[in-house]
Amino acid sequence: MATVNRENIAPLNEKLTLTLSKQDYLPAFEKTLKDYSKRANIPGFRKGMVPANLVKKMYGASLFTDEVLRSVDRELVKYIETEKLDIFAQPIPAEVNLQQLDMNNPADYQFSFEIGLKPDFQLADLSKANITKYKVTVTDEMVDNEIARLQNRYGNMKDEETVASDENVLNVNFVETDENGNEIEGGIKKDNSLLVKYFAEPVRKNWYGKKKDEFIVAKLSDAFEPKEREWIIGDLGLDKNDTASADKIFKIVLTKIGLLEKKELNEEFFNQLYPNAGITTEPDFRNKIKEEIEAYWNSQARNQIHDQAYHELIDHTEIQIPEGFLKKWMKTQGEKQRSDDEVEKEFPVFARQLKWTLITDKIVSENGIQVTPDEIRVFAREQLFGYMGMSAGEDQPWVTDYIEKMMKDRKYVEDAFNRIQTQKIFEWAEKQVKPVEHEIGAEEFTKMVEAHQHHHH
């Protein structure tokens, strides 16, 4: 009967020495030989009539080794399950001299393995965490800008003969030239569409009165203010960080002139945007827009609560891990074995990810968090309608077919499962915290989030 000796090497790192007796593998080996004799196809012998000694001579050594190693694996797994050992990854075997395995002299064999044990730990107390709930102030200007955006988006473009105002939409062709306005052979050519008011103020007047096929010649640094210049330079395929880009000269040729007629603020427009919402007046419309802007910023602020809860858990939950074992394990992963230097470099990121996995596993198990197939179906449905820019209505046969097809895609189901589970974990965390509300402007909030993201990348 197999026996296992357990020895502590380091905190959460143990050595298991498994002693395998002959009786643990020999009966199975002899049975395998007999079965092989019945199935073997060897020239000169009828199937099932091959002598056992011949089979043993030809295949016995490899069958013997396979059976011993299979028995080791079986007994090791049984021991880990019986002792209820919660381990990281897989046991790491010590080097084994397979030459010692002699089918002609069966003996007791010893095999050694290292294991890394998962730690017991307590989650950081989120109820005592210093968490801020940001409340973005929605101003009348924000409402005005959103209404103007919607009026433009749903407005009608009218063709014009000449450029007459800063609001004219110009379809233009950028052609790179020298300082005398002569086209550079092999230079940049690019179509674009932009408003007259996007040009720097001194240049705008040069457009007034111009018609299709007329043009201006200008250096980018003169034609545009820094903000507009940056995206124009990018659109032309130039490097915005190269100062020489702004010094390039272009002939900007008019190909079409338009004027956007904004959508009128009337009941027809309100109903187009919000069918059956009963919005009939401009004040009601403004209130609806304000509600949507507030809902957007509230969702962003909620993301910040989740982010703060994440940092509280990851930074203040004390977890000990078997570093030595995990570094050995990391070296063996992948197509090519890592060097010690590569492991040391990668380990901090690996350890942080591992810590978060342990934390989330504990939250899931202690709070009975589950994800059902029906929840994955709902997720797929919402994602589909989101991709199509449609509001979810009653399921049509093609929608049901799509969802069931995705449910058979293992990778998709795993991804959806993880995303839903993560969402539930943060919903749990959100209920634990006691945030302090802090009012903040939209611009300040955005800069704060960007600075935080930059810091963590």
Side-chain angles (χ1 to χ4, degrees):
M1 180 178 176
T3 59
V4 178
N5 181 54
R6 189 169 161 187
E7 175 189 352
N8 184 260
I9 302 172
L12 301 172
N13 189 186
E14 298 191 350
K15 178 182 178 182
L16 301 181
T17 302
L18 185 146
T19 302
L20 201 67
S21 72
K22 288 189 292 185
Q23 292 309 308
D24 292 316
Y25 64 82
L26 203 53
F29 167 63
E30 291 170 346
K31 181 178 185 301
T32 301
L33 270 181
K34 289 179 182 177
D35 292 343
Y36 219 81
S37 297
K38 295 175 183 176
R39 299 196 308 270
N41 274 320
I42 297 177
F45 296 93
R46 286 193 301 168
K47 189 174 180 180
M49 302 299 291
V50 181
N53 285 341
L54 181 60
V55 171
K56 186 174 182 179
K57 183 177 179 181
M58 294 179 69
Y59 306 110
S62 63
L63 292 175
F64 183 79
T65 299
D66 288 346
E67 192 55 52
V68 170
L69 296 180
R70 190 159 39 242
S71 299
V72 170
D73 184 62
R74 182 180 64 248
E75 295 297 335
L76 186 64
V77 169
K78 185 165 72 174
Y79 177 81
I80 290 172
E81 290 178 349
T82 302
E83 296 298 313
K84 295 182 171 58
L85 301 182
D86 196 5
I87 65 172
F88 285 112
Q90 298 295 325
I92 300 175
E95 287 191 22
V96 179
N97 177 17
L98 295 179
Q99 300 302 319
Q100 68 172 317
L101 305 182
D102 184 357
M103 67 172 176
N104 296 313
N105 296 289
D108 294 350
Y109 299 114
Q110 280 195 343
F111 297 85
S112 295
F113 299 85
E114 271 193 52
I115 59 171
L117 297 169
K118 291 184 180 180
D120 189 23
F121 62 92
Q122 294 298 316
L123 294 170
D125 189 348
L126 289 177
S127 67
K128 296 179 181 177
N130 183 19
I131 305 290
T132 302
K133 180 181 181 181
Y134 294 98
K135 184 171 178 59
V136 175
T137 305
V138 177
T139 64
D140 288 341
E141 183 183 3
M142 291 163 70
V143 175
D144 291 339
N145 289 339
E146 178 60 12
I147 289 175
R149 187 188 71 80
L150 290 169
Q151 285 180 285
N152 287 332
R153 179 183 173 187
Y154 290 92
N156 298 311
M157 186 68 71
K158 183 176 70 169
D159 290 343
E160 298 280 279
E161 290 291 325
T162 60
V163 180
S165 80
D166 287 357
E167 297 300 323
N168 277 124
V169 179
L170 309 182
N171 285 12
V172 296
N173 179 233
F174 282 80
V175 180
E176 189 177 0
T177 69
D178 60 22
E179 57 188 12
N180 297 317
N182 299 311
E183 183 178 342
I184 295 176
E185 188 176 349
I188 297 170
K189 288 185 178 182
K190 184 73 167 61
D191 291 328
N192 208 324
S193 178
L194 58 167
L195 293 168
V196 173
K197 66 182 180 184
Y198 289 171
F199 287 87
E201 196 166 346
V203 178
R204 294 177 200 170
K205 63 179 183 293
N206 297 331
W207 283 114
Y208 294 156
K210 290 203 180 300
K211 298 181 179 180
K212 183 177 179 294
D213 297 328
E214 294 187 307
F215 61 87
I216 67 169
V217 176
K219 187 185 293 187
L220 294 180
S221 58
D222 296 331
F224 300 98
E225 298 293 349
K227 185 179 178 182
E228 283 76 19
R229 188 192 311 146
E230 186 173 307
W231 70 261
I232 288 289
I233 285 174
D235 186 70
L236 291 170
L238 298 167
D239 183 358
K240 65 182 180 182
N241 297 314
D242 184 356
T243 54
S245 296
D247 292 330
K248 285 189 176 290
I249 299 170
F250 285 86
K251 179 180 181 181
I252 308 173
V253 185
L254 267 174
T255 57
K256 190 175 182 181
I257 305 164
L259 183 65
L260 185 64
E261 293 182 326
K262 292 184 176 180
K263 199 78 170 176
E264 285 187 39
L265 295 179
N266 54 31
E267 192 171 340
E268 180 187 351
F269 182 42
F270 305 152
N271 196 52
Q272 180 183 357
L273 290 175
Y274 304 108
N276 306 315
I279 299 173
T280 57
T281 66
E282 188 174 334
D284 289 344
F285 180 61
R286 289 183 66 85
N287 286 336
K288 181 66 175 176
I289 296 294
K290 186 175 183 179
E291 283 176 15
E292 291 197 337
I293 296 173
E294 286 175 341
Y296 168 78
W297 287 112
N298 285 341
S299 71
Q300 297 302 303
R302 190 178 177 205
N303 288 342
Q304 283 304 299
I305 290 179
H306 294 174
D307 183 71
Q308 293 172 78
Y310 164 80
H311 284 289
E312 183 67 24
L313 288 167
I314 200 83
D315 295 336
H316 299 287
T317 298
E318 296 293 330
I319 302 180
Q320 188 180 28
I321 58 174
E323 286 194 17
F325 168 83
L326 291 169
K327 286 176 180 178
K328 283 184 182 178
W329 179 80
M330 283 180 69
K331 286 185 71 172
T332 67
Q333 300 307 297
E335 296 179 4
K336 186 176 74 170
Q337 183 166 309
R338 291 175 173 86
S339 67
D340 290 337
D341 287 343
E342 287 173 326
V343 169
E344 289 299 328
K345 184 179 178 181
E346 296 173 17
F347 189 75
V349 173
F350 169 79
R352 191 172 179 86
Q353 291 171 338
L354 179 63
K355 184 176 183 180
W356 180 242
T357 299
L358 290 170
I359 288 170
T360 54
D361 286 349
K362 189 176 183 71
I363 292 171
V364 167
S365 64
E366 290 186 350
N367 296 279
I369 293 174
Q370 296 181 334
V371 178
T372 67
D374 283 345
E375 287 174 317
I376 296 175
R377 287 186 173 89
V378 170
F379 175 85
R381 182 174 181 270
E382 290 175 349
Q383 193 178 58
L384 171 63
F385 282 108
Y387 286 154
M388 299 178 67
M390 297 167 55
S391 57
E394 292 184 12
D395 278 356
Q396 300 293 323
W398 66 271
V399 175
T400 303
D401 290 345
Y402 169 83
I403 292 171
E404 292 310 314
K405 178 184 175 184
M406 299 313 292
M407 292 299 290
K408 293 174 183 175
D409 184 334
R410 182 177 175 181
K411 187 176 182 304
Y412 178 85
V413 170
E414 286 179 356
D415 178 64
F417 178 95
N418 290 332
R419 290 173 69 174
I420 296 168
Q421 186 183 76
T422 299
Q423 180 183 339
K424 289 189 174 190
I425 287 168
F426 280 112
E427 286 171 355
W428 168 86
E430 194 176 353
K431 292 175 183 175
Q432 312 308 308
V433 300
K434 298 174 182 176
V436 176
E437 193 167 289
H438 172 68
E439 291 203 11
I440 189 172
E443 187 174 349
E444 184 185 354
F445 179 84
T446 301
K447 286 180 178 177
M448 179 196 72
V449 172
E450 287 176 349
H452 178 75
Q453 290 173 339
H454 178 75
H455 175 72
H456 287 281
H457 287 86

